[in-house]
């Protein structure tokens, strides 16, 4: 196997895992929003924000690709390819799980709002914590990019 293939596998995993996590996360929160609208349709704006929040991890995976694409050259070394593969796996896995867990947290907030509780702000604050780890992983991709000279 050529080193460039190994690097592209890392990029592919990063994009796929972060996208899958976001798809699951927004679906969890979206399903809760549909149920909550039956009880409290006036809070649709709050439901929309909380349902969209887990979608950011998919964007981080896409941004990771743009950060690393400069190193994807046919003459890439095995060290740089391993760095790209590791960066892709790290961001992909963290984004996958943080988006799913964030979606579950947002779904609980949506259910609370639907039941008449004023928990939008508190849910938004708590939903930042899973997001933080995806941001840290994206920052690590940025640092790895600097180490491999992309």
């Amino acid at each position: 196997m050529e080193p460039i293939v190994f690097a592209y596998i890392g990029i592919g995993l990063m994009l796929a895992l972060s996208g899958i996590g976001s798809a699951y996360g927004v679906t969890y929160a979206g399903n809760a929003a549909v149920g909550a609208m039956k009880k409290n349709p006036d809070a649709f704006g709050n439901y929309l924000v909380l349902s969209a929040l887990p979608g950011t991890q998919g964007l981080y995976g896409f941004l990771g690709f743009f950060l690393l694409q400069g190193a994807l050259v046919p003459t890439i070394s095995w060290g740089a390819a391993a760095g790209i593969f590791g960066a892709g796996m790290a961001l992909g896995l963290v984004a996958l799980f943080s988006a799913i867990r964030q979606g579950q947290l947002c779904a609980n907030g949506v259910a609370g709002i639907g039941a008449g509780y004023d928990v939008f702000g508190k849910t938004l604050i708590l939903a930042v914590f899973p997001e933080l780890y995806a941001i840290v992983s994206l920052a690590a991709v940025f640092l790895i990019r600097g180490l491999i000279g992309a």
Side-chain angles (χ1 to χ4, degrees):
M1 175 175 20
E2 295 293 321
I4 189 74
V5 174
F6 191 53
Y8 273 119
I9 291 171
I11 294 288
L13 288 171
M14 176 177 61
L15 291 168
L17 294 173
S18 63
I20 290 168
S22 285
Y24 271 98
V26 298
T27 301
Y28 286 139
N31 284 338
V34 170
M37 280 192 287
K38 296 173 186 171
K39 296 178 183 175
N40 184 5
D42 296 332
F44 178 73
N46 291 345
Y47 304 151
L48 180 67
V49 170
L50 292 175
S51 296
L53 197 56
T56 56
Q57 282 86 344
L59 297 176
Y60 296 155
F62 198 58
L63 181 57
F65 166 70
F66 279 104
L67 288 172
L68 296 171
Q69 74 174 349
L72 298 172
V73 293
T75 57
I76 190 172
S77 70
W78 272 107
I84 291 173
F85 181 83
M89 281 296 295
L91 179 57
L93 286 172
V94 171
L96 170 74
F97 289 112
S98 72
I100 290 171
R101 300 305 285 183
Q102 188 179 51
Q104 292 169 335
L105 191 152
C106 289
N108 285 331
V110 165
I113 294 168
Y117 297 102
D118 184 21
V119 295
F120 174 71
K122 293 173 183 166
T123 302
L124 206 54
I125 291 169
L126 292 172
V128 168
F129 294 122
E131 183 91 22
L132 173 66
Y133 294 101
I135 292 170
V136 168
S137 294
L138 181 62
V141 168
F142 183 78
L143 294 173
I144 291 169
R145 172 184 171 235
L147 292 174
I148 62 175

